[in-house]
PDB file of all heavy atoms in Angstrom:
ATOM      1  N   ALA A 112     251.611 107.741 161.503  1.00  0.00           N
ATOM      2  CA  ALA A 112     252.543 107.860 160.386  1.00  0.00           C
ATOM      3  C   ALA A 112     253.863 107.169 160.675  1.00  0.00           C
ATOM      4  O   ALA A 112     254.491 106.614 159.781  1.00  0.00           O
ATOM      5  CB  ALA A 112     252.788 109.325 160.069  1.00  0.00           C
ATOM      6  N   GLN A 113     254.295 107.163 161.925  1.00  0.00           N
ATOM      7  CA  GLN A 113     255.573 106.557 162.271  1.00  0.00           C
ATOM      8  C   GLN A 113     255.565 105.053 162.067  1.00  0.00           C
ATOM      9  O   GLN A 113     256.584 104.459 161.778  1.00  0.00           O
ATOM     10  CB  GLN A 113     255.899 106.858 163.744  1.00  0.00           C
ATOM     11  CG  GLN A 113     257.226 107.495 163.915  1.00  0.00           C
ATOM     12  CD  GLN A 113     257.483 107.826 165.375  1.00  0.00           C
ATOM     13  OE1 GLN A 113     256.770 107.421 166.261  1.00  0.00           O
ATOM     14  NE2 GLN A 113     258.532 108.561 165.598  1.00  0.00           N
ATOM     15  N   HIS A 114     254.421 104.427 162.181  1.00  0.00           N
ATOM     16  CA  HIS A 114     254.342 102.970 162.078  1.00  0.00           C
ATOM     17  C   HIS A 114     254.282 102.467 160.644  1.00  0.00           C
ATOM     18  O   HIS A 114     254.433 101.286 160.398  1.00  0.00           O
ATOM     19  CB  HIS A 114     253.125 102.448 162.840  1.00  0.00           C
ATOM     20  CG  HIS A 114     253.246 102.649 164.306  1.00  0.00           C
ATOM     21  ND1 HIS A 114     252.344 103.379 165.016  1.00  0.00           N
ATOM     22  CD2 HIS A 114     254.179 102.244 165.192  1.00  0.00           C
ATOM     23  CE1 HIS A 114     252.706 103.404 166.283  1.00  0.00           C
ATOM     24  NE2 HIS A 114     253.814 102.725 166.410  1.00  0.00           N
ATOM     25  N   LEU A 115     254.024 103.345 159.699  1.00  0.00           N
ATOM     26  CA  LEU A 115     253.893 102.887 158.318  1.00  0.00           C
ATOM     27  C   LEU A 115     255.213 102.374 157.778  1.00  0.00           C
ATOM     28  O   LEU A 115     256.286 102.699 158.254  1.00  0.00           O
ATOM     29  CB  LEU A 115     253.370 104.015 157.427  1.00  0.00           C
ATOM     30  CG  LEU A 115     251.902 104.336 157.634  1.00  0.00           C
ATOM     31  CD1 LEU A 115     251.482 105.439 156.684  1.00  0.00           C
ATOM     32  CD2 LEU A 115     251.035 103.126 157.418  1.00  0.00           C
ATOM     33  N   LEU A 116     255.121 101.591 156.733  1.00  0.00           N
ATOM     34  CA  LEU A 116     256.289 100.908 156.184  1.00  0.00           C
ATOM     35  C   LEU A 116     257.034 101.747 155.158  1.00  0.00           C
ATOM     36  O   LEU A 116     257.315 101.290 154.069  1.00  0.00           O
ATOM     37  CB  LEU A 116     255.836  99.588 155.546  1.00  0.00           C
ATOM     38  CG  LEU A 116     255.064  98.655 156.459  1.00  0.00           C
ATOM     39  CD1 LEU A 116     254.567  97.456 155.677  1.00  0.00           C
ATOM     40  CD2 LEU A 116     255.941  98.198 157.602  1.00  0.00           C
ATOM     41  N   PHE A 117     257.367 102.978 155.480  1.00  0.00           N
ATOM     42  CA  PHE A 117     258.098 103.817 154.552  1.00  0.00           C
ATOM     43  C   PHE A 117     259.601 103.677 154.742  1.00  0.00           C
ATOM     44  O   PHE A 117     260.372 104.371 154.130  1.00  0.00           O
ATOM     45  CB  PHE A 117     257.685 105.283 154.698  1.00  0.00           C
ATOM     46  CG  PHE A 117     256.272 105.492 154.231  1.00  0.00           C
ATOM     47  CD1 PHE A 117     255.266 105.726 155.131  1.00  0.00           C
ATOM     48  CD2 PHE A 117     255.957 105.399 152.901  1.00  0.00           C
ATOM     49  CE1 PHE A 117     253.965 105.892 154.705  1.00  0.00           C
ATOM     50  CE2 PHE A 117     254.656 105.550 152.456  1.00  0.00           C
ATOM     51  CZ  PHE A 117     253.658 105.800 153.373  1.00  0.00           C
ATOM     52  N   LEU A 118     260.017 102.767 155.598  1.00  0.00           N
ATOM     53  CA  LEU A 118     261.423 102.457 155.771  1.00  0.00           C
ATOM     54  C   LEU A 118     261.730 101.236 154.914  1.00  0.00           C
ATOM     55  O   LEU A 118     260.839 100.426 154.628  1.00  0.00           O
ATOM     56  CB  LEU A 118     261.717 102.145 157.242  1.00  0.00           C
ATOM     57  CG  LEU A 118     261.488 103.297 158.214  1.00  0.00           C
ATOM     58  CD1 LEU A 118     261.645 102.816 159.635  1.00  0.00           C
ATOM     59  CD2 LEU A 118     262.466 104.421 157.924  1.00  0.00           C
ATOM     60  N   PRO A 119     262.970 101.052 154.498  1.00  0.00           N
ATOM     61  CA  PRO A 119     263.304  99.845 153.736  1.00  0.00           C
ATOM     62  C   PRO A 119     262.914  98.592 154.501  1.00  0.00           C
ATOM     63  O   PRO A 119     262.972  98.566 155.731  1.00  0.00           O
ATOM     64  CB  PRO A 119     264.821  99.934 153.586  1.00  0.00           C
ATOM     65  CG  PRO A 119     265.141 101.372 153.751  1.00  0.00           C
ATOM     66  CD  PRO A 119     264.110 101.934 154.699  1.00  0.00           C
TER      67      PRO A 119
END
Side-chain angles (χ1 to χ4, degrees):
Q113 234 178 10
H114 293 121
L115 287 181
L116 304 175
F117 292 108
L118 297 173

